[in-house]
Amino acid sequence: MKRWGDISQDTADHLSPASVLDHAEMAVVVTDRFSNLLYWNPFAEQLFGRPSRPAGSRDPAALSMGIMEKDHPLAVELAKHVLRGGVWEGTFDVTRADGTMIYVRAQAVPLRHSSGSVTGIVITAREAMRSNEREKDRFGLLERIGERLAGSLYVEETLKRVAEMLVPQFADHCFIELMENDRLIRRVSTHVQNWTPPPDSWRPVGAEIHYPSGHYAESAMRRQETILVEDFSQVSYPSASVASAKLCGEIGMTSAIVAPLCVRGEILGLMYLGLSNLTDRRNPHYDAFDRDFVGAIATRVALAVDNALLFEEERHTAESFQKHLLPRALPQLDGLSIAVRYYPAAPLASHGQGIQTQVGGDWYDVIPLSAGRVGIVIGDVEGRGAKAAAIMGQLRAALRAFAQDDKSPADILARLDEWTRIVATPEHGPGGADISVSPIVTCQYMVYDAWSRQLSFANAGHAPPLLLIDGTCQELDITEVGQPLGVHAKGIHADLVYKEETRTLPPGASLLLYTDGLVDRRPTRDPEGNAPSQEENLQLLCDKLAKLGDIPVEEVADAATVAVPGEIDDDMAILVIRSSAVDLEVEERTFPAQPIMVGEARRMAAEAFTGWNVPEERAELACLLVSEVVTNVVLHAATASVPRRELTMDGPPMPFEESWDFPGLEEEPGGEKEFTLRLRRGAESVWVEVFDQDLRLPRIRSAGENDEGGRGLYLVDQLASRWGSRPTHEGKAVWFEIPTRTR
């Protein structure tokens, strides 16, 4: 080589156009005017994963280069455009021969004869993410947007994340509008440099948007394709309003892209991006590549919005389901303040569980019982989802029904345990054997009498309540904690598993009943990487509750909710009750069960009602019913006081033939029959209870036309707001309630 630029003949042979294209790291495809394949370089074979074709091939697969069917109309349009002498640039989704899909950026230019006529098409292409630095920046942004959208399950959060990613990096203005009942509503309005549109110019968030016919946004929705307005100074479109057009002129709108948000063939809304003179950009105009890029973003946004809308709909359904399974309103009870809270768990979006964490089997209930007593329950069905909530609903309904029998808490849990086994989903093994598994349920059931302050309870594997009194917080002392419902061993009756205990609740004391979601939080780790245990969280909860002092129960519930750090990992139920600081009014007296005592009992009731300032009309009605109930007791009570006794044997077992003789067993202790009248004063009612030693519960019977009796309980049923009877350890109690306020 004698001078710069001189090459040898051998080198010149290797620099032929065909040789250069064979080594080019870019796909080059040449066709004639009739789409006959004229050339396909080795990189095209590698990119599209298809073997080279001989000149003149008309293999449709080769000619389409694997372009996906949805882009075929676009390929036809580009061929027409280039054959007319134009240049086209765009992006295709391509399916390779091995089934993989790639994103291909292509440019098509006319193939011209020396005479200048167009004889074919030259297409150059590369995988879009490897084209050049500009595309790397754009697709890097696209990847980040996809990652951020994948972590959101809420519509507002999803849209906010999109706007944050696009403004100001890619746009000066971003509007996102969604369809709501056939109305286009603006949901996002984000602008560069915290700039805010003047009032009455661009429509604000929440406003309904109307684009006139011929507007580029209207065209994007109608045609379901991304529309590019490269330079507003070169085109003219109808304006949404006079004020909007004026503002666009003031800020110098230069370019815009509008992309429809389409999913499953339906339009969810629009995404609008705009550039203006509010920023000094190297290029203040969008181009065809930007249009394709925004279209790709819109596809991801549409999917994310659709997922978020579906999630919010399912969440609303699940929460409504849970809400209607729990008590809608709590009763007003004498001598007891109550506060409740229920919180569904936050969704585990990163775990792909979504709505499964929104609903669970936690429940609480407050059940009015006889004579002002109240049943208090909190429980937790193992697991999450609609199945756990459905089981919870059945158990809650069953427990309310069982509670009306006014039996002891242990008896109620024993019956609920049987019901838990009944509601188990029927399953059968390979041989047809029943392998149904009962749901595991923990439950705490209490009965509280505000007049005596007596708290009776039984526990089925549930966490003990927290007792708050005099600046202290500790677990209620529970001696007998039974097995969860549905899990005790076969052959052991539930009566042996659940034991009743009794405590006296001090004046002004509070009880906090809760499910494990309160202390079992999604871990918040300290700098050393240690997550607190449930025991540590429980101690933290007690420490914070102990410092609250004498505050309303509603504030206690709120404080307990936030006392433990971390996100709620399981649904959570809280029930706070507080006993009255003052004693409630009660009168009680025992009478011999003699007819003459009916008048004495009525006189006692009249004096009590007068002292309690019960309205005269209500007091007379209550006294009438006292007479009827006491008369019924006097006539039908047992002839002697026969308390229930337990049969016990000391020493070794006796022979069979002798074990039936126990001295005194056949003898019933004598004594004069008697009854006890108890009167209770509430804020809006008075309760009357009559106790005797007869084990037979009363019932309403139909009295004949000439019968002298048989109408007492009928009067009670007709005139009292509520009435009933319940067994006691010594016999039974008949009770009724009379409101003290006239209707």
Side-chain angles (χ1 to χ4, degrees), residues 168-180:
Q169 183 172 354
F170 191 73
D172 296 336
H173 312 277
C174 176
F175 300 105
I176 301 179
E177 294 140 10
L178 298 183
M179 298 297 299
E180 297 180 10

Side-chain angles (χ1 to χ4, degrees), residues 638-673:
T639 58
S641 178
V642 185
R644 294 179 178 176
R645 297 178 297 170
E646 295 184 355
L647 181 62
T648 60
M649 295 185 294
D650 296 328
M654 301 175 62
F656 176 78
E657 64 276 4
E658 299 178 6
S659 61
W660 297 96
D661 285 329
F662 292 94
L665 184 62
E666 72 284 353
E667 300 176 5
E668 293 185 352
E672 186 179 10
K673 58 183 180 180

Side-chain angles (χ1 to χ4, degrees), residues 107-181:
Q107 184 182 55
V109 298
L111 176 64
R112 295 183 182 273
H113 188 265
S114 57
S115 63
S117 62
V118 177
T119 61
I121 301 174
V122 178
I123 302 173
T124 58
R126 291 189 63 173
E127 190 172 351
M129 295 184 67
R130 299 179 182 177
S131 297
N132 51 46
E133 292 301 321
R134 179 179 179 232
E135 293 188 3
K136 288 182 180 179
D137 292 342
R138 291 291 187 262
F139 283 97
L141 176 60
L142 183 63
E143 183 178 2
R144 292 196 299 272
I145 289 176
E147 291 174 352
R148 296 195 66 183
L149 292 179
S152 173
L153 285 174
Y154 299 94
V155 174
E156 296 301 329
E157 181 181 358
T158 298
L159 300 180
K160 180 181 178 182
R161 289 184 176 186
V162 173
E164 289 175 349
M165 292 297 293
L166 296 176
V167 178
Q169 183 172 354
F170 191 73
D172 296 336
H173 312 277
C174 176
F175 300 105
I176 301 179
E177 294 140 10
L178 298 183
M179 298 297 299
E180 297 180 10
N181 300 323

Side-chain angles (χ1 to χ4, degrees), residues 399-723:
L399 191 146
R400 289 187 69 91
F402 298 155
Q404 299 307 314
D405 290 343
D406 264 326
K407 292 188 176 180
S408 69
D411 291 336
I412 298 298
L413 287 187
R415 294 190 63 184
L416 194 62
D417 176 78
E418 295 177 4
W419 185 256
T420 302
R421 299 172 186 274
I422 292 174
V423 300
T425 304
E427 296 182 11
H428 300 282
D434 185 5
I435 57 172
S436 301
V437 179
S438 300
I440 299 176
V441 183
T442 64
C443 184
Q444 174 89 55
Y445 180 63
M446 299 179 162
V447 175
Y448 181 64
D449 187 333
W451 282 264
S452 66
R453 301 186 183 277
Q454 182 173 313
L455 182 72
S456 302
F457 57 87
N459 188 292
H462 201 82
L466 300 180
L467 177 63
L468 285 71
I469 183 173
D470 298 332
T472 63
C473 176
Q474 59 186 0
E475 290 187 339
L476 182 69
D477 179 27
I478 297 180
T479 305
E480 299 286 345
V481 177
Q483 294 292 324
L485 304 176
V487 301
H488 69 75
K490 292 184 178 180
I492 301 179
H493 195 271
D495 291 342
L496 303 176
V497 179
Y498 308 113
K499 302 296 183 180
E500 180 179 358
E501 299 182 56
T502 302
R503 303 285 186 274
T504 299
L505 203 58
S510 298
L511 278 180
L512 174 70
L513 291 80
Y514 64 93
T515 58
D516 56 3
L518 178 61
V519 293
D520 185 13
R521 298 295 182 97
R522 199 170 297 173
T524 300
R525 297 185 179 275
D526 58 28
E528 298 181 358
N530 298 318
S533 64
Q534 288 194 33
E535 292 74 16
E536 292 172 332
N537 285 338
L538 179 60
Q539 186 57 53
L540 177 62
L541 174 65
C542 288
D543 293 342
K544 292 188 176 181
L545 293 179
K547 300 176 183 178
L548 294 180
D550 188 16
I551 61 175
V553 290
E554 292 288 343
E555 296 182 21
V556 173
D558 290 335
T561 302
V562 299
V564 179
E567 192 173 8
I568 299 174
D569 191 50
D570 191 6
D571 56 333
M572 175 181 69
I574 296 176
L575 192 153
V576 183
I577 63 172
R578 176 175 293 167
S579 64
S580 173
V582 298
D583 293 335
L584 303 185
E585 295 177 299
V586 60
E587 295 286 344
E588 182 175 326
R589 181 179 170 187
T590 300
F591 300 89
Q594 300 174 359
I596 195 174
M597 292 294 105
V598 175
E600 290 296 322
R602 179 165 182 158
R603 184 177 300 108
M604 169 194 165
E607 292 175 354
F609 296 150
T610 300
W612 292 341
N613 296 319
V614 177
E616 183 178 355
E617 177 186 355
R618 302 279 92 189
E620 290 180 355
L621 176 59
C623 289
L624 170 64
L625 299 187
V626 167
S627 297
E628 295 296 336
V629 174
V630 170
T631 299
N632 189 73
V633 167
V634 170
L635 292 177
H636 301 289
T639 58
S641 178
V642 185
R644 294 179 178 176
R645 297 178 297 170
E646 295 184 355
L647 181 62
T648 60
M649 295 185 294
D650 296 328
M654 301 175 62
F656 176 78
E657 64 276 4
E658 299 178 6
S659 61
W660 297 96
D661 285 329
F662 292 94
L665 184 62
E666 72 284 353
E667 300 176 5
E668 293 185 352
E672 186 179 10
K673 58 183 180 180
E674 58 186 16
F675 67 89
T676 299
L677 176 63
R678 179 187 295 165
L679 309 173
R680 301 183 178 204
R681 176 72 161 96
E684 297 184 356
S685 298
V686 292
W687 284 272
V688 175
E689 292 179 284
V690 179
F691 299 85
D692 70 345
Q693 291 76 39
D694 191 352
L695 302 179
R696 297 168 296 173
L697 299 179
R699 61 181 179 86
I700 299 175
R701 65 184 181 89
S702 300
E705 185 176 339
N706 298 320
D707 290 347
E708 295 183 1
R711 299 177 179 84
L713 289 181
Y714 177 79
L715 286 176
V716 175
D717 181 65
Q718 293 296 309
L719 299 178
S721 61
R722 290 197 307 153
W723 80 279

